[in-house]
Amino acid sequence: MLRWLAPLVLLHSLIYVFLAPPWQHYDEPGHFLYAAYIVSGGIDAPDDVAIAREVADSMYRHRFWPPDVRPDLLSPRPPGIPTDQRHHPPLYYVLIAGLIRPLRYLPVEIQLYAGRIASALLMMLTVVAVWRTAQIVAPDEPRVALALAAMVALTPAFVDLMSAVNSDVLMNFAATAAFLGIAILLRDGWRPTGLGLAILGASVAILTKRTAFAIVVPVALALLWGAHRRPIRWWTFVLICGAGLMGVMVSGALLGNDIGHSDLPSLATMLLAYLRLDVAAWIASALEWERSLSWYRVTLVVGHTHFWARLSWGNVAVLAPYSDWIFAGLCFGALAGLARSAVTRPRTRPLWQQRWIWVCVVSVTLAWLVLFGRLHPLPEAGSWVYIPRGRYLYWAMMPTMWLLVFGWQHLWPVRWHTQMLLGLIILFVMFDGAAIITLLSHYW
């Protein structure tokens, strides 16, 4: 199957690579500049004004800004380019810098497209990892693996981001590889392949972007269940959750206060620098429920719509608002199917497959909680509030799609499962075609 699946996914991703004009992806100019600065002088080198001018000139020539906006290419300081990414961990940018270094004397557009092609290759590997994971967790249902791979490859907003120069690309691939390792751990126990994929994938994801920090929880669950393959009593999880909550509270107290002994201040400083988090301000903002609730509703809508059908910088919508309602219907249908399965077939699957479902539920729940958490600390009333986009959920793409398919399977009679999977694939093919037409009409 890989002989045709991998090339098709790569070719499909390359369509998005070349359909979107240069710089027309989330924060793409800033991501590219970070790598270009590393090429010119290293990670800690100051901004290279010449490279920034070249990128700004390319953005102007490709109509990134409105016609009446022109970058200042004569100032001794770098022109204003959205958005600076040098606060992120350098792993992804070092890799991209190594890729574009041989091309550094060519036009920046060629360097950018080289980075995009590398992203398309990672997209291909991501879909392959999704397909392999589905094969493991549903060995008797090969159509499920095909449906999952097709749905991930054809989700418009996901493939649009995964064909850009953006650190999210490496994070999403590494997180998907980690979930492949988690599936192997749950099925086979502590074996080198599962351990290696889970730990290495999670480590690369975390070292790429702070968004993936929550993957520590599903990996920890998989390590626990991989070591203890018999049923665990409910009160054990109560104790573990209680200990975890106590640890979070103690950590918050330590990080929120100035501690002047041992190595705690340095550890706190490192963690806060990585998470870019003011713990005291975050807690105070999160406790303002009346003020936060309205922003949670906005975040829910924005997260959902941008997860499925918003392209470019989020300004290009695919068949909105119809796509938004259709995908919302898919999600509610999957939730109903999951509830029905929990009531009617709670223990019909092997223990390790039940645990995989729980890992998926925990991962998707955490992804949304972290998305809501990015709102805080909220600024003063009347100030602009940044609403986090659905792309911050993509580290949990594999469990999200698995729950979608699994829920829809259990919403209908068994005899309809094949038709249901085919219907899902056709739906995603239609939306993908609509996304390509939308990009053509919007930019070309």
Side-chain angles (χ1 to χ4, degrees), residues 44-55:
D44 298 322
D47 295 352
D48 189 317
V49 178
I51 294 175
R53 287 174 180 167
E54 190 173 357
V55 170

Side-chain angles (χ1 to χ4, degrees), residues 244-330:
L245 181 60
M246 183 65 68
V248 170
M249 294 173 63
V250 172
S251 300
L254 293 178
L255 294 173
N257 295 279
D258 185 17
I259 301 173
H261 59 83
S262 185
D263 291 329
L264 287 174
S266 60
L267 293 174
T269 301
M270 290 173 60
L271 184 59
L272 289 176
Y274 171 76
L275 295 177
R276 307 200 306 275
L277 182 65
D278 184 336
V279 176
W282 190 95
I283 294 175
S285 176
L287 291 176
E288 296 181 8
W289 278 98
E290 292 183 357
R291 185 182 175 208
S292 302
L293 192 59
S294 61
W295 291 112
Y296 290 151
R297 288 194 290 264
V298 174
T299 302
L300 177 64
V301 173
V302 171
H304 166 75
T305 57
H306 284 244
F307 183 94
W308 297 108
R310 295 298 185 275
L311 312 178
S312 189
W313 286 69
N315 59 309
V316 181
V318 181
L319 297 181
Y322 307 107
S323 60
D324 303 334
W325 287 107
I326 289 174
F327 283 115
L330 285 178

Side-chain angles (χ1 to χ4, degrees), residues 318-377:
V318 181
L319 297 181
Y322 307 107
S323 60
D324 303 334
W325 287 107
I326 289 174
F327 283 115
L330 285 178
C331 295
F332 281 117
L335 288 173
L338 289 171
R340 182 172 181 268
S341 173
V343 172
T344 59
R345 307 177 191 175
R347 297 184 181 276
T348 57
R349 292 173 175 267
L351 179 62
W352 71 270
Q353 289 182 331
Q354 297 176 39
R355 288 174 168 177
W356 164 256
I357 296 171
W358 278 111
V359 164
C360 291
V361 170
V362 168
S363 300
V364 174
T365 303
L366 275 175
W368 276 96
L369 289 176
V370 170
L371 189 75
F372 291 133
R374 292 180 74 100
L375 279 170
H376 301 290

Side-chain angles (χ1 to χ4, degrees), residues 7 32 45 102 141 174 181 199 224 279 308 330 350 361 398 437-438:
F32 176 82
E141 301 175 274
I199 295 174
L224 172 64
V279 176
W308 297 108
L330 285 178
V361 170
M398 174 66 222
I437 294 172
T438 300

Side-chain angles (χ1 to χ4, degrees), residues 13 20 37 40 45 51 53 71 73 144 212 223 234 254 271 315 343-344 356 366 386-387 401 411 421:
S13 302
Y37 290 154
S40 65
I51 294 175
R53 287 174 180 167
L73 303 180
V144 171
L223 290 173
W234 64 269
L254 293 178
L271 184 59
N315 59 309
V343 172
T344 59
W356 164 256
L366 275 175
Y386 173 71
I387 305 300
M401 285 300 195
L411 188 63
L421 289 175

Side-chain angles (χ1 to χ4, degrees), residues 8 33 76 130 202 225 280:
L8 278 180
L33 270 180
V130 168
W225 280 331

Side-chain angles (χ1 to χ4, degrees), residues 235-251:
W235 53 264
T236 305
F237 285 102
V238 173
L239 291 177
I240 293 174
C241 292
L245 181 60
M246 183 65 68
V248 170
M249 294 173 63
V250 172
S251 300

